[in-house]
Amino acid sequence: MLILQRMATSSSFLSTPLLKASSSFPTHFLSPLKHCVSAPSTEFRALALSRNRNGVSTSSAAVATETQVSTQDDKLKETQKEKSDKLEKVVLPTNESSESLLRIRHTCAHVMAMAVQKLFPDAKVTIGPWIENGFYYDFDMEPLTDKELKRIKKEMDRIIGRNLPLIREEVSRDEAQRRITALNEPYKLEILDSIKEDPITIYHIGNEWWDLCAGPHVEYTGKINRKAVELESIAGAYWRGDEKKPMLQRIYGTAWESEDQLKAYLHFKEEAKRRDHRRLGQVLDLFSIQNDAGGGLVFWHPKGAIVRHVIEDLWKKIHLERGYDLLYTPHVAKADLWQISGHLDFYKENMYDQMNIEDELYQLRPMNCPYHILIYKRRPHSYHDFPIRVAELGTVYRYELSGSLHGLFRVRGFTQDDAHIFCLEDQIKDEIRGVLDLTEELLLQFGFSKYEVNLSTRPEKSVGDNDIWVKATSALRDALDDKGWSYQIDDGGGAFYGPKIDLKIEDALGRKWQCSTIQASPQLVDFNLPQRFDITYVDSNSEKKRPIMIHRAVLGSLERFFGVLIEHYAGDFPLWLSPVQAHVLPVTDTQLDYCKEVTNKLKANGIRGELCHGERLPKLIRNSEMLKIPLMAVVGAKEVETGTVTVRSRFGGDLGTMAIDDFVSTIKSAIESRASI
């Protein structure tokens, strides 16, 4: 049953531990000729899946081998390009930008519930709000199948075609209770109890079906375009998100103003599926989550580990250049440490059970902050020492329900690129500005240049005096204003110990990835932990004062960030980041010795090269394309004779014949400049 929107959007009311969707779909995307998308937020375009990388294209040259090889991937590119060329630019509205779309989606949820109860009279209705790209509704009924989903859609089409009016009615609470009881709808009674305002509003579809609801809706069902509505999936969801309550059947649907909008959305959805990091992680052998070890625990395979190594090296280099000291700290600590920090009071539901070791309780760390404070406390400090910046790639462990785990995006153990800055109060603004600059520098290296920024203020469940929160929030606001970034205020969205700045980064499809909690870039100013741990410094008057502590992470979780990178690039990593940068391919086994020399030369120059053989050349090339290898060095008899290789680029096509030294220097130059070949 649809209820007042203020209730439908409540996270506590609608949370569903069995259902954690992947990142929400965006309102737009453009052709990723450049993997960093710059586009108006309301624009959506069918993808032109060109293989040009970062805007770099190269001229094609003939391959000096026995045959010109045409691969399946080449044909796929052509087919995709033809399809994309036919698709016109489609602007997709959002619920916020189009009230008519919101009304359509809200009404579709009602129509779907009416259709379900017509086909399945014993089904009990619960809630069904509109969501970012459509709507859903939860039913207490027997499990549904895809075949039954089609029946429900046909019944929805009939209801829409009848052009029934949507009629608003106001009734007393007693009258609403009487009607609900007559229908034998127990969930409606529970929802009615949650509605505090009177009178109670009801919306009727004709005179055949009604629901508790505050609206808004279209005037007639005929205002919904049947060809712009699709039922997408069925999933399980606990009533009110409580695993101790009944399991419901949730039906997801999408609805748009026109058929063209639906087609564009479905095209995007297909592309998002192609980029799914869980699928690509298996295909490209990057990572796995082993059931024998437990859910939410990530195994980095050699190729994935290489990418992580490159990310970590870049992260360390930039931090060292900006005056940070690197740390390594333990994975466990005495439980008392987490009592002092406040985590046991404010974060216990996300922490694992304690371990009894020699009659002392120990705790897997959920965060790194207390460790960095202990390092600060190892010796006295003067005001001359500030700012003190420390950073760590520290693995933390947080409890997540098994139903909420999702690839690399929701895990139980992850490595956080954590850092803390100890500074004086008058240094806060400059230090936060420095963090924003560092964040921009690092994210740009990976192709992310568009962000959504939120300033999150004091939550209801928090610690510290209000004047401290006001000072901290003001410092963050001043730094953002100084940086010149636009931002929104997220009231009550801060951490329990301080306000924060949350960044959402935008990928090649225009999707925005939440950066608070476990993913890139919350910057927090904390006045509370220094007091809890009694950390001090001596000021210019030889008096003891408490320093300010700034928490920050740029990439957030390496696991989650890696998942975003996989989907951003669709597994086609840029040359500098690719786990294997070049395959050396012999035309026949008689060229193997020379190919080994070429491969060794690549490795000696820090280039990640591999020798592949044992198949015919067309198969070797196809395999390299499937593995998304940026470069292939093809070697035949002529190449051995002249001391050269014939280069085939995944993004630039056939590049002709090069001397080995020229090939090496070209690759090194491209890696240095983050360019493609």
Side-chain angles (χ1 to χ4, degrees), residues 310-508:
V310 174
I311 294 171
E312 289 184 354
D313 273 2
L314 177 63
W315 184 91
K316 291 174 183 177
K317 176 178 179 292
I318 289 176
H319 279 77
L320 289 172
E321 289 173 349
R322 287 184 172 266
Y324 286 81
D325 292 317
L326 302 183
L327 304 177
Y328 293 95
T329 58
H331 290 227
V332 298
K334 291 181 180 179
D336 290 347
L337 187 67
W338 308 108
Q339 187 69 61
I340 297 171
S341 70
H343 287 93
L344 283 176
D345 293 328
F346 294 92
Y347 205 72
K348 188 174 183 179
E349 66 274 12
N350 296 103
M351 298 171 66
Y352 282 98
D353 290 342
Q354 296 171 2
M355 300 171 283
N356 190 318
I357 302 175
E358 295 181 349
D359 295 327
E360 286 190 298
L361 294 177
Y362 281 75
Q363 182 83 53
L364 279 171
R365 65 176 175 185
M367 295 184 183
N368 303 305
C369 324
Y371 292 153
H372 294 187
I373 292 174
L374 292 183
I375 290 177
Y376 175 91
K377 289 186 68 174
R378 75 192 186 279
R379 63 178 178 82
H381 291 280
S382 160
Y383 70 98
H384 292 296
D385 298 335
F386 297 111
I388 298 170
R389 308 182 188 104
V390 294
E392 176 181 15
L393 294 168
T395 302
V396 298
Y397 303 89
R398 299 179 186 174
Y399 172 67
E400 299 281 354
L401 291 170
S402 58
S404 70
L405 300 175
H406 182 83
L408 297 175
F409 294 156
R410 180 78 67 166
V411 294
R412 288 172 170 163
F414 56 91
T415 301
Q416 196 168 38
D417 72 318
D418 223 347
H420 295 90
I421 301 171
F422 300 90
C423 65
L424 306 178
E425 190 168 334
D426 61 2
Q427 295 174 329
I428 297 175
K429 176 185 171 182
D430 289 341
E431 287 304 309
I432 293 296
R433 172 60 194 268
V435 170
L436 296 178
D437 290 342
L438 184 151
T439 298
E440 185 175 42
E441 178 185 2
L442 189 55
L443 292 178
L444 280 173
Q445 297 285 328
F446 297 100
F448 299 112
S449 65
K450 294 196 69 178
Y451 324 115
E452 177 182 303
V453 184
N454 293 297
L455 174 58
S456 303
T457 61
R458 185 172 190 171
E460 184 176 341
K461 189 178 181 182
S462 60
V463 295
D465 296 332
N466 189 62
D467 62 333
I468 292 177
W469 278 84
V470 170
K471 288 181 181 178
T473 305
S474 178
L476 293 179
R477 191 192 305 270
D478 290 345
L480 282 172
D481 291 339
D482 189 56
K483 179 67 175 172
W485 282 354
S486 60
Y487 59 92
Q488 297 177 338
I489 302 296
D490 178 14
D491 287 325
F496 73 85
Y497 46 82
K500 61 180 178 176
I501 297 170
D502 290 330
L503 269 72
K504 294 180 181 179
I505 57 177
E506 186 174 300
D507 71 5

Side-chain angles (χ1 to χ4, degrees), residues 119-173:
L119 296 173
F120 307 94
D122 293 334
K124 304 298 181 186
V125 291
T126 62
I127 60 169
W130 68 80
I131 53 178
E132 184 175 356
N133 291 290
F135 57 94
Y136 73 78
Y137 215 111
D138 289 347
F139 303 92
D140 190 349
M141 61 188 300
E142 293 298 316
L144 293 165
T145 65
D146 290 340
K147 182 178 179 181
E148 289 160 336
L149 211 58
K150 294 178 181 178
R151 290 179 59 205
I152 295 169
K153 177 57 168 65
K154 287 182 180 179
E155 183 61 34
M156 287 179 67
D157 290 345
R158 281 192 284 268
I159 295 169
I160 292 170
R162 292 171 62 193
N163 199 27
L164 298 171
L166 276 292
I167 304 166
R168 185 177 185 272
E169 180 187 12
E170 292 185 356
V171 299
S172 67
R173 185 172 298 272

Side-chain angles (χ1 to χ4, degrees), residues 92-112:
L92 284 186
T94 66
N95 293 330
E96 292 74 24
S97 67
S98 172
E99 184 179 347
S100 66
L101 178 62
L102 186 146
R103 289 174 179 269
I104 286 169
R105 289 173 172 170
H106 200 172
T107 307
C108 279
H110 274 241
V111 170
M112 181 172 71

Side-chain angles (χ1 to χ4, degrees), residues 36 43 199 217 234 377 445 544 573 591:
C36 184
E43 191 170 290
H217 293 282
I234 309 164
K377 289 186 68 174
Q445 297 285 328
K544 284 190 174 182
F573 296 110
Q591 290 92 43

Side-chain angles (χ1 to χ4, degrees), residues 15-64:
S15 61
T16 52
L18 284 186
L19 268 163
K20 288 288 183 182
S22 59
S23 175
S24 58
F25 291 120
T27 58
H28 74 281
F29 63 90
L30 287 179
S31 167
L33 296 178
K34 295 186 178 182
H35 281 273
C36 184
V37 178
S38 295
S41 60
T42 57
E43 191 170 290
F44 177 109
R45 190 173 186 175
L47 285 169
L49 300 176
S50 168
R51 293 299 182 186
N52 285 358
R53 177 73 60 164
N54 296 328
V56 178
S57 61
T58 53
S59 60
S60 175
V63 176

